[in-house]
Amino acid sequence: MKFINIGFGNMVSAGRIVAIASPDSAPVKRLVQDAKEEGRVIDVSCGRRTRSVIVTDSDHVILSAIQAETITNRIATDGEEGEDPVD
């Protein structure tokens, strides 16, 4: 199981991530609002501006202060480092 740092020492399992989105569009704002009403939001932004919204396979919505592109790069980088070299 690989964990990805999503800011301020918080980690999420890379295998549980379904989507990473920018919080600026109206559909994502509705998704976050609906999740807040249902108690499915995990806010790890530490009071800072939300820059990415992570949706997990358990329908939890995680709000992070790290850019979506940065998190995506961390997932891609960790995947490459963990592979065995091909002989």
Side-chain angles (χ1 to χ4, degrees):
M1 182 181 310
K2 295 186 183 201
F3 287 94
I4 304 299
N5 184 345
I6 57 170
F8 304 107
N10 298 294
M11 310 287 265
V12 67
S13 175
R16 305 287 308 256
I17 295 174
V18 174
I20 303 172
S22 172
D24 299 329
S25 69
V28 175
K29 288 179 182 178
R30 278 194 302 271
L31 175 75
V32 170
Q33 188 59 40
D34 291 346
K36 280 183 182 179
E37 291 171 0
E38 296 173 13
R40 296 183 291 116
V41 168
I42 303 169
D43 188 352
V44 297
S45 63
C46 293
R48 301 216 167 121
R49 181 173 163 254
T50 299
R51 295 189 176 176
S52 64
V53 176
I54 303 167
V55 181
T56 65
D57 60 355
S58 62
D59 284 335
H60 284 86
V61 176
I62 303 169
L63 309 178
S64 176
I66 305 295
Q67 293 274 351
E69 185 177 352
T70 303
I71 296 171
T72 303
N73 289 339
R74 289 178 183 177
I75 291 170
T77 301
D78 285 351
E80 292 171 5
E81 291 175 358
E83 293 179 1
D84 294 327
V86 177
D87 290 35

